[in-house]
Amino acid sequence: MINPLTETIKIVKYREELAKSIADMWNESRDSWGGDSAIMSEEQVLEKEANSEDLFLYLALDGEKVVGYCGISEYKEDIEALYIRLLNVHPDYHGKKIGKQLVLKAVEKTIELGWPRIDLYTWPGNVKAVPLYKKCGFFWEDRDDTTHLMNFIPLVLQNEITKPLFHSIDWYEDNVRAIEVKPDGIKENGFTYYEYVWENEQHFLRVQIEKSGRGIRLIETNDIKIELLMGQHTQIEGRESNLQLQIENKRIDSLNVTVEGCKNERTHVQGKITEAIKQNKIFEFPVHIKNGEEPNEWITHPKAEVQIVINGRKSKLAVGVFPKKAMKVKPVYIPKKFDTNKQQYCYIEIDNFLKNEAEISIKLSPNALVQWEKSTYSSKITETGMIKIPFQIKKYGFVQSECTVTVHTANEIFEWKETLAFSMPYFGVKDGGFDQEFFYLQNGFYTVNIRKRDNAISFGDEQKFNQRTFLFPPKFGKPYIAELPKKQASSYEWNYTETSAIMKIHYEIEKPFKQNVALCFELFGEGLLNFWLEIENVSESIVENLYIYQPIRHELNQTYLPLNNEIVYFNDSKMTDLSQLNSKDVTSNWIFSDDKKDPHGIIWDRQMKIGFDGWVLYLEENIRKITKNEIRKSKIIRFSLGVIKTVEEFQLFANDTSKQTVVDEVEIRTKTRNPIISTNKVELILKRSQNRYFNGVLSFLNNDEPLKNISIEQVNNDAFKFIYQTKDDPFVSLQYVLENESQTIQGSSLLLRKANRPIQSRKIDGNGQYIYEIENGDLQFKAAPGFFPTLYSICFQGREWLDSSFPTPEPKAWWNPWTGGFSSHLSGISLFSYIKESSQTSFVKKQDQYKNEWEGLAIETVIEHHEKWKGLKITQYFLTIPGVPMIAHYTELEHRNRTINQFVYTDMFLKNISMKNTSVHLHNKGGSTKFNAGFEEHIFRLNNPSTFSDNDQSQHLQLVSSKDLLDSECIFSEDFALVSTMEFVRNSPGHSKKTDPIFMLFPHLPIDKDMIKNLKSIKF
């Protein structure tokens, strides 16, 4: 039972033995976070906290039960601030003031450590928490993109003028500031001021914080009022401005005051004054603002600052400024991919900040890549405007040209240098450069972009602005420290090889030790990228066990990931929370997404460790030792940006030679994945790869009508086992729906039910040649090696499906001789050559990877008379399973002395009783098409699977390839119906090579495409 008394709750620091209780808290708090069904485990908590960049993690305990969580880290998006990274209270303990205790603990720790402020983020709908945050000293920043709050209580309590008052003022209880559930701020002349007010019977204190400079600008007590003012928040570079300090003495005796202007990186307040003030006084200080980049609106701005000493107590007062040039000029050039027209235009977008009309003149410098139509362009601008600049491309690459900008008004002239920078990509062109916002590397139509304000990295096709994979700056530790997002590059370099473009961006970092770090990129024109770090130890000591944490955002859109020695396919494009996966389950070093428009993947070194944290994956590496002044390279991470199209190719590229089955993220299967069963009762398993809570129903359907419902409640992704009763049918179609209140998942699968009756095999002497016959219930197929290495007959329920000239070859249509039937042959060997060779047929038994025993025919042909291919052995297999009307066919090739780099063609000449009684149904995006044989000629390609039928639909033959895409060419004409598939075979001398199997099924009704996945997994 929950104890309602807040006093029973203890606030403690994190320790590992509480990990299980933390996991329980998160799992029981899912409804408070939007009903998230992800399951957190003790192991995930331990891993997450070991990798956390939190400086402190405080937990609220009721006994040994964790009921609250507050992680505090350094704020990486701005300077001089801590950050409440994550705050949670168990839903059963809402209203017990546990959130208040945790937030106050975070503020107290910030004060103790000497940081001036602490921030947090929440979501706009979390209005019930806003009063708590505001009462604890937070201000809600007025911005559209997020809900950001800042707390300046530590700054106020560390100030020498205000600090003594808090011996008599309780900063929490005596806070009389009005609490409203809306963004805060007093807005004047472009400034935003945040105001604290404390009052009790003895004391009054009012403090204003200027938002952009994050500093105190006003202090008022019972005795004094000091206020710093500036005319406008936006300041024009090159103009002198003034800062005004107003001091009001409410005491009888004088104030001994010294005020001195401060010189910062961007601003210089000039002057120093010492004076005894009896009543009121106003001081003016000139302010000079240096040229530089325009600051980001949401981080600390340059500030005009003074230091004041009143009766021996010091305080800094400051207001932030938004320095801007007289006009903002932004070059815009949007190249059209593959555009070979060398007459182009770029545009200069202009914003006038002078508040009156002015003339801008842009003088362009000569450039090796472009020929400007004119060297100077001018325009009069009132508020906004644009200048169009024609140019001729002399050479493709990255244009980086310094220009001189001059702005004239009636009374002023402003002049500065501006870099005109843009990319002109083209085939094989390697280049790089930078503009105000990014560093760029390009090779062909692929680019790497590093955003200067936070060093986030994106890459991909030049024309795609929404890339699927991007990098965050690496962290170093442990515990991990994210210093790089706030750092500006110290230097940069570009180099080029015959095939690649290389960029290195250098940074100087102080934590966790003094080091020079380079982000290194090697980009190939085909869309391959290598990424690594170069770390130089410039500290005074040897560094041991430096951990690197590299976060990566990889969009899961039709994604393959090796888990538990299988390749799991995630078709859910909305899966963004990677922490629903267990990193220990990852069994190889790659991830690949085969979105048809933009396939992309990642490969990492096998010594690196992969982990999942929210919507990012991370790669962790331990550099064991770096001696003083040594430079060490991290392991290379490789990215494919569209060049590799299939998961099979990508697995090879990752040097992963393991034979792993591709499975769905949610699937129903047998225990061993074997699709062949021998009884009507079978144990099935529901397997989900995502670690999510599920409470719902599993329904089995037959033609959309329910057959069986099973209630399921899973608290993790462990397999759910159940017994299923099948119908007495060789093709067991499983249609199922997995459903709960929030989602519905539909799926299907195919099982093959074999019979206990044996397969009959017969060798018959007929018309002077031996006939080999296999009988499997209603299915029979025959071969006669003396005729031709082919199946010449396939009968199902008494109907012949093959068109053949048996017992002798004869001319037909284009062929002379022609044999028909069902056979495979190597390209480059004609029918004439095959007829010259002798073949042997035998009855065989073969096992697939599941140890199922198949029986059938092997037709072996050894080439003896062909000049090029003498010594080639070709063995064709035609196999079946007892009681299942289907044939599996594959071909094995071997040559002792030759490499095989050829197509293997499999030809089937079909005829159901008569040519005109044979048809095929094809399904595509535009609908469906039916072709009938025995009439005019049609040439087309097959689906996988493809369904052939007779006219009255009484029989169906389905052709299934184990490949996803069936490479085929089919011809239906008046005289024949040819189905031809092909597979390219590469094989070394002395080795045997098997083609992927092709399956021929004879179901009562056509089997749906989605059901054949199990069948396609069968290998011999």
Side-chain angles (χ1 to χ4, degrees), residues 332-346 367-372 389-401 420-435 440-447 449 462-463:
V332 177
Y333 172 66
I334 303 176
K336 295 179 181 177
K337 195 171 184 180
F338 312 133
D339 185 0
T340 57
N341 181 6
K342 294 193 174 183
Q343 183 63 45
Q344 297 285 320
Y345 301 90
C346 75
N367 189 272
L369 300 185
V370 299
Q371 179 64 53
W372 309 115
I389 300 179
F391 65 90
Q392 186 81 13
I393 297 176
K394 295 191 290 186
K395 184 180 176 182
Y396 290 97
F398 192 88
V399 174
Q400 196 157 328
S401 180
L420 187 65
F422 54 85
S423 174
M424 301 186 303
Y426 202 66
F427 295 106
V429 174
K430 300 179 283 289
D431 211 341
F434 58 88
D435 60 17
Y440 297 93
L441 179 69
Q442 72 177 62
N443 193 341
F445 292 99
Y446 290 90
T447 65
N449 312 309
E462 170 80 23
Q463 300 297 306

Side-chain angles (χ1 to χ4, degrees), residues 112-149:
E112 176 188 326
L113 294 174
W115 289 81
R117 81 174 202 267
I118 184 168
D119 292 13
L120 65 80
Y121 285 91
T122 188
W123 62 97
N126 191 25
V127 292
K128 64 181 181 181
V130 169
L132 163 66
Y133 297 145
K134 290 193 175 188
K135 181 66 175 173
C136 291
F138 285 88
F139 293 101
W140 181 352
E141 186 177 18
D142 189 3
R143 55 193 285 187
D144 294 329
D145 59 331
T146 187
T147 304
H148 176 230
L149 295 96

Side-chain angles (χ1 to χ4, degrees), residues 823-829 831 834 874 876 891 893 903-907 980:
S823 65
S824 294
H825 61 278
L826 193 69
S827 62
I829 304 178
L831 287 174
Y834 273 105
I874 304 174
Q876 303 176 70
T891 302
L893 302 97
F903 277 102
V904 172
Y905 289 93
T906 299
D907 293 340
S980 182

Side-chain angles (χ1 to χ4, degrees), residues 50 55 64 231 328 494 499 579 633 897:
L55 301 175
E64 288 301 307
K328 181 178 181 179
W494 289 264
T499 57
S579 60
K633 291 177 64 174
N897 305 313

Side-chain angles (χ1 to χ4, degrees), residues 715-743:
V715 296
N716 51 37
N717 62 349
D718 290 343
F720 178 80
K721 300 177 182 179
F722 59 96
I723 300 298
Y724 185 77
Q725 178 80 39
T726 72
K727 291 187 175 181
D728 192 11
D729 191 319
F731 298 106
V732 179
S733 299
L734 298 178
Q735 291 178 285
Y736 60 88
V737 175
L738 188 63
E739 187 172 21
N740 64 9
E741 292 179 344
S742 66
Q743 67 176 155

Side-chain angles (χ1 to χ4, degrees), residues 345-505:
Y345 301 90
C346 75
Y347 301 89
I348 307 296
E349 296 178 352
I350 303 168
D351 291 304
N352 182 0
F353 298 124
L354 297 174
K355 297 188 177 179
N356 50 52
E357 185 180 81
E359 183 176 25
I360 183 171
S361 175
I362 299 175
K363 184 178 180 180
L364 303 170
S365 301
N367 189 272
L369 300 185
V370 299
Q371 179 64 53
W372 309 115
E373 187 175 277
K374 295 192 305 183
S375 62
T376 304
Y377 291 85
S378 299
S379 180
K380 289 186 176 181
I381 307 293
T382 302
E383 292 182 352
T384 62
M386 181 268 292
I387 294 176
K388 181 178 180 181
I389 300 179
F391 65 90
Q392 186 81 13
I393 297 176
K394 295 191 290 186
K395 184 180 176 182
Y396 290 97
F398 192 88
V399 174
Q400 196 157 328
S401 180
E402 189 176 78
C403 60
T404 302
V405 181
T406 307
V407 175
H408 292 265
T409 70
N411 304 311
E412 297 175 293
I413 298 177
F414 302 90
E415 185 173 290
W416 68 92
K417 301 292 185 182
E418 195 81 51
T419 299
L420 187 65
F422 54 85
S423 174
M424 301 186 303
Y426 202 66
F427 295 106
V429 174
K430 300 179 283 289
D431 211 341
F434 58 88
D435 60 17
Q436 293 179 355
E437 297 182 83
F438 291 92
F439 293 104
Y440 297 93
L441 179 69
Q442 72 177 62
N443 193 341
F445 292 99
Y446 290 90
T447 65
V448 176
N449 312 309
I450 302 180
R451 189 166 58 192
K452 289 181 177 180
R453 67 177 171 87
D454 59 4
N455 295 312
I457 302 153
S458 62
F459 39 78
D461 190 314
E462 170 80 23
Q463 300 297 306
K464 292 187 175 71
F465 298 99
N466 183 21
Q467 305 297 351
R468 301 300 176 85
T469 305
F470 56 90
L471 300 173
F472 297 102
K475 305 174 188 177
F476 303 93
K478 296 180 175 180
Y480 287 114
I481 298 172
E483 188 177 357
L484 202 52
K486 294 185 262 188
K487 286 291 182 179
Q488 292 185 344
S490 57
S491 62
Y492 31 82
E493 58 182 293
W494 289 264
N495 297 288
Y496 310 99
T497 71
E498 184 177 344
T499 57
S500 66
I502 299 169
M503 174 172 67
K504 296 183 180 181
I505 310 297

Side-chain angles (χ1 to χ4, degrees), residues 15 76 411 426 432-433 577 881 956:
R15 54 183 189 268
K76 62 186 178 183
N411 304 311
Y426 202 66
D577 187 359
I881 282 284
H956 306 279

Side-chain angles (χ1 to χ4, degrees), residues 768-959:
Q769 57 180 313
Y770 287 109
I771 297 171
Y772 292 78
E773 180 180 347
I774 295 292
E775 182 177 338
N776 182 15
D778 291 335
L779 175 67
Q780 300 90 35
F781 52 91
K782 302 175 185 179
F787 163 60
F788 193 76
T790 185
L791 285 190
Y792 72 83
S793 173
I794 297 177
C795 277
F796 179 63
Q797 294 179 345
R799 287 195 187 181
E800 178 62 57
W801 271 92
L802 292 183
D803 187 13
S804 169
S805 68
F806 179 81
T808 59
E810 61 185 34
K812 183 165 186 172
W814 308 333
W815 299 275
N816 188 9
W818 173 81
T819 59
F822 178 12
S823 65
S824 294
H825 61 278
L826 193 69
S827 62
I829 304 178
S830 67
L831 287 174
F832 276 115
S833 296
Y834 273 105
I835 288 175
K836 295 176 186 177
E837 308 295 347
S838 62
S839 300
Q840 303 295 324
T841 300
S842 59
F843 299 111
V844 293
K845 294 181 180 180
K846 289 286 181 180
Q847 285 189 341
D848 59 29
Q849 78 269 38
Y850 302 113
K851 307 301 181 184
N852 298 308
E853 190 169 86
W854 298 65
E855 298 181 49
L857 301 176
I859 304 175
E860 181 183 297
T861 306
V862 178
I863 304 299
E864 297 290 348
H865 301 95
H866 194 280
E867 182 177 352
K868 178 181 179 180
W869 290 109
K870 184 176 181 179
L872 174 66
K873 183 169 76 171
I874 304 174
T875 307
Q876 303 176 70
Y877 293 93
F878 301 91
L879 307 171
T880 189
I881 282 284
V884 183
M886 66 178 293
I887 299 171
H889 168 64
Y890 67 95
T891 302
E892 190 170 6
L893 302 97
E894 182 179 357
H895 200 296
R896 295 175 61 183
N897 305 313
R898 283 193 178 277
T899 298
I900 302 174
N901 284 295
Q902 302 283 128
F903 277 102
V904 172
Y905 289 93
T906 299
D907 293 340
M908 287 159 277
F909 287 88
L910 300 180
K911 181 176 71 174
N912 188 293
I913 302 176
S914 69
M915 194 62 62
K916 293 183 178 181
N917 195 43
T918 306
S919 63
V920 61
H921 282 83
L922 303 178
H923 298 274
N924 50 54
K925 292 181 179 179
S928 63
T929 305
K930 178 183 177 184
F931 292 107
N932 296 316
F935 299 95
E936 61 183 334
E937 183 174 281
H938 294 284
I939 302 175
F940 53 91
R941 293 187 179 276
L942 293 179
N943 304 128
N944 187 22
S946 290
T947 303
F948 301 86
S949 304
D950 54 10
N951 287 341
D952 60 8
Q953 301 287 300
S954 61
Q955 281 198 1
H956 306 279
L957 184 160
Q958 279 193 283
L959 194 66

